[in-house]
Amino acid sequence: MPPPSDIVKVAIEWPGANAQLIEMDQVCMSTTNDINPHNASKNLSSSSYYSESFNSVQFYLCSARAARQLLERIQSHGIDARLEALKELAKLSADPTFAAEFINMEGIGTLARLVESGTHFGEMLAFTLTAFLELMDHGIVSWDLISLSFIKQIAGYVNQPMVDVSILQRSLAILESMVLNSHSLYHRVAQEITVGQLIGHLQVSNQEIQTYAIALINALFLKAPEDRRQVGALNVCLYPQEMASSLAQKHLRSIILNHVIRGNRPIKAEMAHQLYVLQVLTFNLLEERMMTKMDPNDQAQRDIIFELRRIAFDGENDPTGTEKRKAMYTKDYKMLGFTNHVNPAMDFTQTPPGMLALDNMLYLAKVHQDTYIRIVLENSSREDKHECPFGRCAIELTRMLCEILQVGELLCLPHGCNDYHPMFFTHDRAWEEFFCVCIQLLNKTWKEMRATAEDFNKVMQVVREQITRALAMKPSSIDQLKTKLRGLNYSEILRLRQSERMSQDDFQSPPIIELRERIQPEILELIKQQRLNRLCEGSCFRKLGNRRRQEKFWFCRLSLNHKVLHYGDLDESPQGEVPFELLSDKIPVSDIKSVVTGKDCPHMKEKSALKQNKEVLELAFSVLYDPDETLNFVAPNKYEYCIWTDGLCALLGREMGSDLTRSDLDTLISMEMKLRLLDLENITIPEAPPPVPKEPSSYNFTYNYS
């Protein structure tokens, strides 16, 4: 008996299973005029004859019929029927199964011809463009097949002064996809679109339009040939060299800043991502200089180093002799902080940062000349062991900033990343200004840490943390960045580190708390010994008086047996320790009654002290000794203040209490805990732990504040 006419047999081959011949009832697959794949699936699944596992096969057959019917309706002469068909097509095109069927029926060509004809407008054109973009996004058809007339028509919609928002959105999106997916189409689009026309779309109130416009700018910028990105042309068009310079122009930057970033409406996720991409692309223009080594034989490049020397030491006449001039240059290059004093060009032969570091240094020297001279001269007047080498610091800082901002790491931009920084859109030379702020921060942190050449890497680690923490706060301008960094001084970084470390669950567990309590007295004794050792080395203090025509100094140090304080006047600040025999006065420690600080100091209660600023008040302390005498101090900085107040308290057998002590204590305890825990099989402390070794040799170090 022959099978019913409505029954068809379909061979189905499933991955990992044998092929099967399935009978299907076409009646169950009939659809209404309102063809919708979701309704079709629902109708098919409602039939008890078919199992749910075959819904995909049913949907495939429905998609084929839907594609054929829609294509026929789109090609009909009735405007209303064509509009309804395009609406349905715009919805169905997102499904890959339907898209494949529609494309196989030459549907893409049909839509392209509708656009090229120029006879469709308004809602009908918007749905046509939506369906076209959805179908092309599946990657079934190559974008290279798009005709030039189609590109011109789409570009025309973008260039029109007044066009429907939905049409403009889809036109911008189509042009972006063309550029990203076809090298040949990039050149065609770049010939049809200018930056000036895209800038106009950034000044509208619709953030969706702004997002599409920036996305197209990014796409053109991203696909620009490498050999044209760095050319400094000023014409506003979309070839790569003009793109690079246009993004640096105040006009485009200010429009993005004022109409997008400060547009009085929240930045949506997609806009934030496009701003991040634009930021990365802009910084990647630095990659060429970053990876360019300096040629020591290139006179033009060497002249830049000569210019750095001239600006820093202007007014000094060169000696006539060649040998004398060479010797003077070597001295100056050492004061500038270069590693190679004889030929500083060799300092710029490593990449990164290459010539980018020299560019930054020259910008600082020319644009912020007073700051540059102050940094160089300030460090050249310090003791050799405490000078902050400007040249070496600038080179290493440039390398660090390139790492933080990922210069040259564009290989894969995560779509969800939106880590853009508004402040980089507030200045035409944002990178250079960022460097200038950070080099001043580095110099300040170096002083706060009382660093030496051996501490260079430690200082750079702290500066990296200061910069990354400040950037995480998203400062809206360079000035706000400076404010954030002022609040992240070295003491604050230590406090934040300790707070974050102690907030970890492991540090709150009972075994860790017990270990901490056990170690604390031992570490505290180490700190006391370190303070007393520093008092034995001594310190220089400035003398304060009502009339200070010439600055005077005095020096104080503790005897090696910790029984006498020796002090005396000096004509100038000493270099190194002052021998006991040069200090004419002394105070027996047994005569000291107490140590007072701040407002309680006698020299802070005098009338002249009312004029002292808060900083001086915070650095003042006095030693009261028998019968009713005082020795008054004003420490040169917070570090010396903590050293002396803690040391004197330790000398008198009293508890130390400065912030510096607590910071040192927490740091050393954490270090010691890590060492101790390495020796334990597990974190649980036994009830009867082995005795902790306390030989001096096991703690053979002197803790340095830096």
Side-chain angles (χ1 to χ4, degrees), residues 432-478:
E432 291 85 352
E433 289 295 320
F434 184 45
F435 168 83
C436 293
V437 171
C438 293
I439 193 67
Q440 295 178 70
L441 168 71
L442 196 159
N443 189 60
K444 175 175 174 287
T445 302
W446 186 284
K447 290 188 292 185
E448 291 175 348
M449 295 177 65
R450 292 179 57 85
T452 63
E454 290 77 13
D455 302 317
F456 184 85
N457 291 333
K458 295 180 183 178
V459 176
M460 297 307 297
Q461 290 173 2
V462 174
V463 171
R464 175 186 284 270
E465 186 170 349
Q466 290 171 314
I467 294 172
T468 53
R469 286 183 182 273
L471 289 178
M473 300 177 192
K474 300 293 182 182
S476 59
S477 65
I478 298 294

Side-chain angles (χ1 to χ4, degrees), residues 341-398:
H341 307 156
V342 178
N343 186 8
M346 300 301 297
D347 287 13
F348 301 94
T349 56
Q350 292 187 355
T351 57
M355 290 295 291
L356 184 60
L358 188 59
D359 295 342
N360 288 340
M361 295 167 69
L362 185 62
Y363 180 88
L364 174 67
K366 286 191 171 183
V367 180
H368 301 281
Q369 191 171 117
D370 292 342
T371 299
Y372 168 70
I373 294 174
R374 176 180 58 79
I375 291 176
V376 173
L377 297 184
E378 182 180 277
N379 285 289
S380 62
S381 63
R382 294 180 186 171
E383 300 177 34
D384 288 344
K385 67 176 183 178
H386 285 295
E387 66 179 5
C388 177
F390 169 73
R392 183 186 176 191
C393 288
I395 293 171
E396 187 58 34
L397 177 63
T398 302

Side-chain angles (χ1 to χ4, degrees), residues 280 282-288 290-291 356 398 401-410 431:
V280 172
T282 304
F283 283 140
N284 275 5
L285 295 175
L286 304 169
E287 183 180 10
E288 182 177 341
M290 180 183 75
M291 300 306 296
L356 184 60
T398 302
L401 297 183
C402 289
E403 293 175 357
I404 292 174
L405 297 177
Q406 299 179 324
V407 176
E409 298 182 11
L410 182 62
W431 165 263

Side-chain angles (χ1 to χ4, degrees), residues 75 124 192-193 356 450 596 695 704:
Q75 295 173 329
M124 186 174 293
E192 301 293 332
I193 299 293
L356 184 60
R450 292 179 57 85
V596 295
E695 299 85 0
N704 192 316

